């Protein structure tokens, strides 16, 4: 299978300078708001510790909590299904919809259904799927996947959205007023809510003790998706479990603060039983999660609550855009999850990181993200999945770094090259570094030359 070329896709993203600058600024703004909100809670670090401990405890007792969750949900009148992988998940959902003669499904945002490619699967079988989250709907209408797990259309300018709506739902393509755009989407989606025979949600949290699914939104679209149709379905990744309802407070206090820099989402909905005269189904999905749970170095990634903060803070994500990762999950969390789905296809992604550790610092459940990225690089090299050019470059670098004499010569040659070579030779198509920035000027004296001159003569 062909490797995703993140560097190539990123270079296209940064060619559109106004988009790239806007993207970087907007996400950094979210990061700053997140800092303000987290600093306003003196107990923030304590919450992080608790959140991490709750998740680790749940994951290490997952089978028990899953059984408890299933039993509680069944006692509440919910039908529970288990899906080993994406294909089984899609099949179960389709069979439910087909059995009820469903032609239209309204759906709240769910990264799990993106992971399973549910929408094309159902559309190929004649079922109209309407995304009801504003950002997700923009992406659906533009025939693009979400580029961010919390803000799916974050890479688009308002004028892009006006163009997409003008092209697809007949609004004025020159009007990019946010209220006009949001209202247009509202008017476009409402009839689908009223007419849809089935509704679907994902899950932010699933409470084992009560069998409840909790969804956090700012638009209320999950509630409309679940409150109007006669058939409702929740797709739940098995890692979403938490033991008790009292644990929810820890995560709810952190999720929106860390994601968007707001104290809480507008709406936190608890779904726990079908309305009278309706049917409710849960589909519990594994799709590689059990296998990941068994990976000594990588199981911590299952603690993720999908807040997106690691993406907002990552200098590579901010400057390359989510779509350049070519995967459902992008940014630092994507870089450590995606190789578990397909090592070869995503083997370039762990190299799309500066390893600066900022992702780890902002993670509310204390996932050691940058250490896992570094570990993936080792795994990829050990399993011979490095592209030939990189492999050879590393081999040469290894030789140079192993020899002090060669290293000194190389540093001096590079410094002389930067200082004296003509610009056209430095800024050539092979110099990816120089595409978007100036190569820093070389110091007149290397540290070693200074040391020998000032502190001693030992070579
Ligand atoms: S890895 Fe941590 S910071 Fe990143 S999305 Fe998941 S919970 Fe948020």
């Amino acid at each position: 299978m062909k490797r995703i070329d993140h560097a190539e896709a990123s270079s296209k993203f940064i060619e559109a300078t106004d988009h790239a600058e806007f993207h970087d600024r907007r996400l950094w703004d979210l990061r700053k708001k997140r800092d303000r909100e987290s600093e306003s809670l003196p107990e923030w670090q304590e919450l992080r510790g608790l959140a991490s401990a709750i998740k680790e405890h749940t994951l290490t007792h997952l089978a028990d909590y899953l059984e408890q969750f299933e039993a509680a949900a069944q006692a509440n009148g919910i039908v529970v299904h288990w899906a080993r992988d994406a294909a089984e998940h899609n099949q179960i959902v389709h069979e439910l919809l087909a059995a009820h003669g469903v032609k239209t499904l309204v759906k709240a945002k769910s990264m799990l259904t993106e992971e399973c490619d549910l929408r094309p699967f159902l559309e190929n079988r004649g079922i109209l799927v309407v995304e009801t989250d504003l950002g997700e709907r923009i992406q659906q209408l533009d025939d693009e996947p979400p580029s961010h797990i919390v803000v799916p259309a974050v890479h688009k300018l308002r004028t892009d959205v006006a163009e997409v709506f003008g092209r697809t739902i007949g609004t004025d393509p020159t009007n990019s007023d946010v209220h006009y755009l949001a209202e247009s989407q509202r008017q476009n989606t409402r009839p689908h809510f009223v007419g849809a025979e089935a509704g679907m949600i994902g899950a932010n949290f699933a409470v084992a003790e009560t069998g409840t699914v909790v969804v956090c939104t700012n638009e209320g679209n999950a509630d409309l998706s679940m409150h109007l149709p006669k058939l409702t379905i929740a797709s739940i990744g098995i890692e979403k479990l938490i033991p008790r309802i009292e644990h929810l407070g820890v995560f709810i206090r952190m999720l929106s603060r860390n994601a968007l820099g707001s104290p809480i989402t507008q709406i936190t909905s608890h779904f726990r039983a079908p309305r009278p005269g309706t049917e409710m189904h849960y589909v519990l999905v594994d799709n590689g999660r059990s296998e990941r749970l068994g990976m000594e170095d990588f199981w911590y990634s299952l603690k993720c609550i999908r807040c997106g903060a690691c993406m907002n803070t990552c200098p590579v994500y901010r400057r390359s855009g989510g779509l350049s990762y070519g995967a459902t999950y992008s940014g630092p969390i994507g870089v450590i999850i995606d190789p578990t789905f397909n090592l070869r296809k995503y083997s370039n992604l762990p190299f799309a990181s500066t390893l600066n550790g900022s992702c780890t610092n902002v993670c509310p459940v204390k996932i050691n993200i940058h250490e896992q990225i570094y570990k993936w690089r080792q795994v990829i090299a050990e399993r011979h999945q490095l592209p030939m050019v990189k492999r050879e470059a590393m081999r040469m670098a290894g030789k140079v770094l192993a020899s002090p004499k060669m290293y000194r010569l190389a540093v001096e040659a590079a410094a002389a090259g930067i200082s004296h070579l003509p610009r056209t030779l430095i800024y050539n198509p092979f110099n990816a570094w120089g595409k978007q920035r100036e190569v820093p000027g070389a110091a007149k004296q290397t540290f070693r030359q200074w040391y020998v001159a000032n502190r001693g003569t030992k070579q």
Side-chain angles (χ1 to χ4, degrees), residues 9-21:
S10 312
S11 66
K12 292 205 178 76
F13 178 81
I14 51 182
E15 268 167 24
T17 327
D18 51 344
H19 280 76
E21 281 169 8

Side-chain angles (χ1 to χ4, degrees), residues 149 258 301 303-311 332-333 336 359 362-367 369:
I149 57 179
N258 222 47
S301 64
K303 294 195 290 179
C304 176
I305 59 167
R306 308 277 191 265
C307 73
C310 56
M311 305 161 84
I333 181 61
I336 58 175
C359 45
V362 298
C363 181
V365 283
K366 292 191 162 186
I367 300 175
I369 307 172

Side-chain angles (χ1 to χ4, degrees), residues 202-224:
N204 287 101
F205 305 100
V207 186
E209 151 184 77
T210 57
T212 309
V213 163
V214 180
V215 182
C216 306
T217 71
N218 285 312
E219 299 172 34
N221 57 311
D223 301 74
L224 281 174

Side-chain angles (χ1 to χ4, degrees), residues 115-321:
E115 179 187 317
C116 295
D117 270 334
L118 177 70
R119 205 165 65 219
F121 182 89
L122 294 179
E123 286 173 347
N124 287 337
R125 286 155 183 80
I127 294 170
L128 174 69
V129 181
V130 182
E131 296 289 349
T132 56
D133 170 271
L134 174 58
E136 194 78 12
R137 180 70 171 154
I138 295 167
Q139 290 306 94
Q140 179 183 24
L141 292 173
D142 203 20
D143 202 18
E144 270 188 347
S147 77
H148 188 287
I149 57 179
V150 176
V151 205
V154 70
H155 60 295
K156 281 187 165 70
L157 303 173
R158 278 191 290 155
T159 46
D160 300 328
V161 178
E163 183 278 318
V164 172
F165 281 5
R167 172 162 45 85
T168 53
I169 60 173
T171 54
D172 176 2
T174 62
N175 189 345
S176 59
D177 175 72
V178 282
H179 300 291
Y180 171 73
L181 293 171
E183 186 58 21
S184 305
Q185 137 77 359
R186 201 162 176 265
Q187 294 303 334
N188 177 265
T189 315
R190 292 282 142 151
H192 292 299
F193 278 123
V194 177
E197 301 94 350
M200 191 164 185
I201 53 169
N204 287 101
F205 305 100
V207 186
E209 151 184 77
T210 57
T212 309
V213 163
V214 180
V215 182
C216 306
T217 71
N218 285 312
E219 299 172 34
N221 57 311
D223 301 74
L224 281 174
S225 301
M226 294 297 272
H227 287 158
L228 293 176
K230 285 213 147 105
L231 171 67
T232 53
I233 305 168
S235 280
I236 309 158
I238 55 171
E239 84 285 15
K240 297 287 178 181
L241 270 278
I242 57 170
R244 290 199 294 280
I245 203 86
E246 70 188 56
H247 296 142
L248 198 56
V250 174
F251 296 99
I252 296 294
R253 294 189 76 200
M254 302 188 93
L255 180 61
S256 191
R257 283 191 165 92
N258 222 47
L260 303 169
S262 57
I264 195 163
T265 44
Q266 302 288 334
I267 300 163
T268 303
S269 310
H270 295 224
F271 300 102
R272 124 175 232 192
R275 303 184 322 277
T278 69
E279 254 182 54
M280 190 166 172
H281 296 256
Y282 287 167
V283 189
L284 283 158
V285 187
D286 187 316
N287 204 32
R289 286 159 174 77
S290 302
E291 203 183 327
R292 208 181 308 152
L293 192 54
M295 295 178 172
E296 196 184 339
D297 294 307
F298 302 114
W299 72 272
Y300 297 102
S301 64
L302 288 162
K303 294 195 290 179
C304 176
I305 59 167
R306 308 277 191 265
C307 73
C310 56
M311 305 161 84
N312 304 345
T313 199
C314 174
V316 176
Y317 175 85
R318 289 204 316 272
R319 290 170 182 82
S320 60

Side-chain angles (χ1 to χ4, degrees), residues 41-67:
L41 289 189
E43 66 276 31
W44 183 257
Q45 293 306 333
E46 196 184 332
L47 285 173
R48 284 182 80 210
L50 270 173
S52 171
I54 294 167
K55 278 284 180 183
E56 286 189 16
H57 166 80
T58 317
L59 288 165
T60 49
H61 299 77
L62 192 56
D64 296 337
Y65 285 119
L66 282 167
E67 281 179 10

